[in-house]
Structures are given as C-alpha cells and as structure tokens.
Amino acid sequence: MIALSRRVIAACALAAALTACGSSAGPAAPPPAPAPSPTVPSAPPTLAAGPAGLTPVFEHGPRDAGKNVALTFDADMTADQGPRAAAGERFDHPRLIGTLRELKVPATVFMTGRWAEEYPDQARSIGRDPLFEVANHSYSHYAFTGDCYGLPTVPEERMRADVERAYQAFRAVGVPDPMPYFRFPGGCHDRRALKALTPAGVTAVQWDVVGGDAFATDPDAVARQVLDGVRPGSVVVLHCTRSAAPTTEEAVRKVVPELRRQGYRFVKVSELIGAANGRG
C-alpha cells in the first residue's frame, strides 16, 4: 500500500513538472485585439449661413484649386405633368445617364420629388450609384419667386414644406443619401425665399455656366456654349429630360473628351463645396 502511494505521489509530481515546463515554454497568448470601431460617414460639406442667417448660395468652386468642373443635371417634372407623362411624354433620359456611366463622369442630379415618383427605379438607381449624387430641385418644380419663366408659384409659407416633401419622395423610392443641396426651379430666388428655406438647412446651388440645352436642337451649339464658359471650379447646368432637352446626351459626348483633353477633372458639387469651405 505504501509503495502504491509512493507511485501516485511520483506521478503527480511528474505531471506538475510537465505542466510547469509547458507554462514556461513561452509567454501566454495575447488577448484578442478589440474589434475596430465602425466608421461613421462624414456629413456632406455645406456652406455656412449667409448674412442674417439666410440660406447660403453656391455658384462655383475655387478658381485656384485645380481644373475641376461639376456637370449638374436637372431632372425636371412639375407636380401637374402626370397626365402628360401618362400620355407618353418622357421626362427622364436613361440614355444620358448611361452615357455618363460609360464615360465615367461623376455628376450631381438635381431631382424633383415628382420626377422621383414618376421614375422610382431610375431615381433609386441614380441614388445608389457612387458615380452620382442626388440633390433637391423641389417637389413640384414651381417657382419660389414671381415671374419665373411662367412657372406656377409656391406660396412663401409652403416653400420649406415643398423642399421637405421632395426629400420624403426620395426616401420613399429608395434614394439612400440625398444631399443637403437645393436648386431653385429656374434658378429664381430672392431674400424672401432664402429666408423661408433657412430652417431646412440646405445650401442653395446655382451655376456659372448655362449649358443652353433646354429645348435646343443643335448639340454642337450646346457643346460650344459649355466649352466656351467653363473655368476652373465651374458648375455647369444641363438637363436630364428627353422631352425638354433632347440633345443633351450628344452634347455631353462632345464636351467630356474635350474638357479632359484640356486637363479638366469632373467632380460632384459636393467636392467643389468642400474645396470652397473656409475660402471666404
């Protein structure tokens, strides 16, 4: 019995020694690294409020920050044009969007809420394509001032609601991240309109180059007008509606290679606004 006990004690001692050797063979394994924190996307750049807190207005980027140019396209459709669309009039322009993708041209599409409702699949496709950004062109495409190209007028007390209704339409059709940029229908605005939109927190985006494609029939003339007007930092306004701007796609095919030959780089409006921040 004593001999058995001694064998048990010896076995235990051997096991303890082996365990100790195993422990001293190297340092303990380090604890697992903490999981990286999720990346929070930064907010889109905007301009600070203008004098008296009015909605800021952006027309072009810095002239001395490289040969950058933003092509912008207005996807116009007024609130009362549903019957015309139902009768076959096309307010969309999928071939133009396809050309921008083919040529790999970033662009900003200023979309009305009514357009997004009429063409939800196209609005969603544009909004989810990283090549593009969707911005607000009002819900109804009614004017925010009187005497604006014959457009009906939004009452002052409904201006903010019209803009917010467009954002609601974008979200409803699946546009994930519409930008906090607003383009007045016809570009028409005054102090009263800028004040009415201050609570909406948007930057109003105008332009410094008019493409002249609305109702144009000569793509060469449109291309020449764009090429003659572009300077570093320019914002070019064109249209994304087949019925009202049938030559835009062909004009873009002429403009893009020529501007690239001249050393221009195509960017979205957000990049120009970001470059303009802090420049005065």
Side-chain angles (χ1 to χ4, degrees):
M1 182 65 115
I2 293 173
L4 178 60
S5 297
R6 287 173 177 170
R7 287 197 296 273
V8 171
I9 292 171
C12 291
L14 178 60
L18 291 173
T19 301
C21 288
S23 298
S24 62
S37 300
T39 301
V40 178
S42 58
T46 56
L47 296 184
L54 297 180
T55 296
V57 179
F58 178 77
E59 294 182 352
H60 61 79
R63 302 299 191 189
D64 58 354
K67 298 182 76 170
N68 299 316
V69 58
L71 297 186
T72 70
F73 297 88
D74 291 357
D76 297 344
M77 186 174 181
T78 61
D80 58 359
Q81 287 177 330
R84 288 167 57 180
E89 185 171 349
R90 302 301 305 196
F91 297 93
D92 62 341
H93 204 331
R95 184 174 175 182
L96 169 60
I97 297 299
T99 293
L100 294 171
R101 286 172 169 147
E102 175 190 334
L103 299 177
K104 297 179 173 56
V105 178
T108 304
V109 179
F110 285 87
M111 193 179 293
T112 68
R114 184 65 189 86
W115 192 98
E117 291 175 346
E118 187 69 27
Y119 306 107
D121 293 341
Q122 293 185 56
R124 182 167 53 252
S125 175
I126 294 169
R128 294 182 179 181
D129 189 332
L131 193 64
F132 305 124
E133 59 188 11
V134 170
N136 195 315
H137 196 31
S138 80
Y139 174 80
S140 62
H141 201 258
Y142 289 175
F144 283 59
T145 66
D147 191 23
C148 181
Y149 301 103
L151 292 171
T153 305
V154 179
E156 182 177 356
E157 65 274 12
R158 295 293 304 162
M159 290 179 179
R160 177 185 176 186
D162 188 86
V163 172
E164 292 176 344
R165 186 179 178 187
Y167 281 121
Q168 292 168 3
F170 300 156
R171 288 190 291 269
V173 302
V175 175
D177 298 301
M179 306 299 282
Y181 308 144
F182 174 72
R183 174 166 285 166
F184 287 98
C188 304
H189 66 281
D190 55 17
R191 181 183 178 87
R192 182 179 62 108
L194 294 175
K195 182 178 180 181
L197 294 190
T198 297
V202 294
T203 293
V205 176
Q206 297 287 96
W207 55 81
D208 65 320
V209 179
V210 177
D213 61 333
F215 307 106
T217 58
D218 183 356
D220 291 325
V222 174
R224 282 195 303 271
Q225 187 158 322
V226 172
L227 294 171
D228 289 346
V230 165
R231 298 168 59 195
S234 280
V235 175
V236 182
V237 59
L238 294 161
H239 293 82
C240 187
T241 47
R242 262 185 287 178
S243 60
T247 66
T248 306
E249 186 269 342
E250 190 174 346
V252 164
R253 287 192 175 275
K254 299 173 184 294
V255 165
V256 168
E258 176 57 23
L259 286 178
R260 282 177 170 159
R261 188 192 67 79
Q262 296 178 20
Y264 279 92
R265 183 173 73 95
F266 293 98
V267 300
K268 303 171 192 174
V269 164
S270 55
E271 184 168 335
L272 291 184
I273 291 178
N277 275 333
R279 301 293 292 270

